[in-house]
């Protein structure tokens, strides 16, 4: 056996190369983990910014107490907008508050149970039949102007709510007075109750059909505030008093 005086040097070089290689791999791994954490953190930050922004916008309509209450229609609506609405609108979207309000209307009129038809998906088809036409269900992943019973103007703002006989239930929701372009409301043949919200009398309504519900209160001069009103049907309710001349 011959002794090579350079063999030790070669072995040390190989060990150094292996060490350098291991260090390079470690650095690459650390950088990759850092990038992954950064991406995750960035994604989480973006979601939190969106959540806060939507809540700030919604607070222009409802209080934070209402938005924080999971049993309140406003709270249910903002939760749906933030976490479950597949459109995932951003806080600066011009249609965000309208979508929030229409979602609020659904939750406010399904207090005791879901609508008979055209309510949210829950595993069913995206479509429902209403008034002999095929429509998208409420809270579906489509622009709300395509939902059953909603008609919009050319600028895609709600003008009509026509939801006769769909099984709506609960007190008449006062919050829809924020839909400032609405001129037509038809909610007859449902299970709505309570009095007509005073804020409704500030709307530019031309037609109001609330027949065959359980609406209470006194018909008085408030109806006269609807200066654009040309059609009215309140039959089949528990109202007292007479309409003004």
């Amino acid at each position: 056996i011959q002794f090579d005086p350079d063999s030790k040097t070669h072995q040390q070089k190989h060990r150094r190369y292996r060490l350098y290689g291991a260090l390079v791999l470690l650095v690459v791994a650390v950088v990759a983990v850092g990038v992954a954490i950064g991406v995750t953190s960035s994604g989480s930050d973006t979601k939190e910014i969106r959540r806060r922004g939507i809540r700030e916008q919604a607070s222009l309509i409802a209080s934070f107490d209402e938005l924080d209450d999971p049993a309140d229609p406003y709270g249910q609506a903002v939760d749906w907008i933030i976490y479950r609405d597949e459109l995932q609108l951003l806080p600066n979207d011009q249609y965000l508050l309208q979508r929030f309000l229409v979602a609020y209307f659904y939750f406010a009129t399904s207090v005791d149970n879901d609508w008979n038809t055209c309510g949210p998906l829950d595993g069913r088809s995206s479509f429902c039949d209403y008034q002999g036409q095929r429509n998208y269900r409420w809270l579906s992943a489509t622009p709300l102007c395509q939902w059953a019973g909603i008609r919009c103007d050319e600028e895609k703002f709600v003008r009509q709510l026509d939801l006769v006989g769909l099984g709506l239930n609960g007190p008449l929701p006062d919050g829809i007075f924020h839909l400032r372009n609405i001129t037509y409301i038809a909610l007859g043949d449902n299970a709505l109750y309570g009095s007509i919200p005073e804020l409704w009398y500030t709307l530019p309504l031309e037609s109001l059909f609330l027949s065959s519900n359980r609406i209470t209160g006194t018909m008085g001069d408030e109806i006269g505030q609807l200066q654009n009103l040309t059609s009215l049907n309140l039959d089949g309710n528990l109202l007292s008093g007479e309409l003004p001349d």
Side-chain angles (χ1 to χ4, degrees):
I1 299 174
Q2 294 182 349
F3 173 70
D4 183 358
D6 295 327
S7 62
K8 188 173 182 180
T9 301
H10 293 319
Q11 292 173 359
Q12 289 174 340
K13 288 181 179 180
H14 289 312
R15 281 198 293 268
R16 281 201 300 270
Y17 293 150
R18 287 198 295 270
L19 179 60
Y20 293 154
L23 287 174
V24 169
L25 291 175
L26 178 60
V27 169
V28 170
V30 169
V31 170
V33 171
V35 169
I37 292 174
V39 170
T40 303
S41 177
S42 177
S44 299
D45 291 344
T46 301
K47 290 180 180 179
E48 179 61 17
I49 290 171
R50 176 179 175 273
R51 186 189 74 84
R52 291 182 179 181
I54 289 175
R55 283 174 53 81
E56 287 293 334
Q57 290 295 315
S59 71
L60 299 174
I61 292 172
S63 69
F64 282 112
D65 286 341
E66 291 171 318
L67 297 177
D68 290 335
D69 185 351
D72 190 287
Y74 284 119
Q76 294 170 320
V78 77
D79 179 83
W80 177 77
I81 285 283
I82 293 172
Y83 300 110
R84 290 178 285 141
D85 182 10
E86 294 183 33
L87 287 194
Q88 291 291 286
L89 297 183
L90 297 176
N92 61 351
D93 192 291
Q94 65 174 326
Y95 300 112
L96 173 71
L97 286 183
Q98 177 173 255
R99 197 168 178 87
F100 166 68
L101 281 167
V102 172
Y104 151 83
F105 178 85
Y106 167 73
F107 289 113
T109 57
S110 56
V111 173
D112 300 318
N113 46 264
D114 193 6
W115 298 355
N116 296 336
T117 185
C118 293
L121 296 175
D122 293 335
R124 296 171 288 182
S125 167
S126 299
F127 301 98
C128 66
D129 293 324
Y130 177 59
Q131 296 182 341
Q133 295 181 343
R134 196 184 194 200
N135 301 269
Y136 280 100
R137 293 181 180 276
W138 277 54
L139 307 192
S140 61
T142 57
L144 61 81
C145 294
Q146 299 177 16
W147 296 356
I150 293 181
R151 301 292 179 270
C152 298
D153 58 25
E154 293 180 354
E155 296 180 347
K156 300 181 181 179
F157 291 107
V158 175
R159 294 296 298 272
Q160 297 185 12
L161 282 179
D162 186 354
L163 302 168
V164 176
L166 292 186
L168 281 63
N169 55 91
L172 289 170
D174 58 359
I176 64 171
F177 94 95
H178 290 286
L179 298 172
R180 301 307 300 172
N181 295 319
I182 197 165
T183 61
Y184 182 102
I185 295 177
L187 306 177
D189 296 314
N190 285 297
L192 299 167
Y193 52 84
S195 59
I196 299 174
E198 293 184 6
L199 292 172
W200 283 26
Y201 298 123
T202 66
L203 291 168
L205 288 176
E206 299 172 1
S207 301
L208 179 61
F209 302 112
L210 300 174
S211 60
S212 301
N213 282 283
R214 291 179 285 154
I215 299 170
T216 56
T218 302
M219 291 184 291
D221 295 336
E222 292 86 355
I223 292 290
Q225 298 177 34
L226 297 172
Q227 298 181 2
N228 298 323
L229 195 67
T230 58
S231 301
L232 175 68
N233 189 345
L234 301 176
D235 293 344
N237 284 290
L238 304 175
L239 294 163
S240 60
E242 296 182 357
L243 292 173
D245 297 331

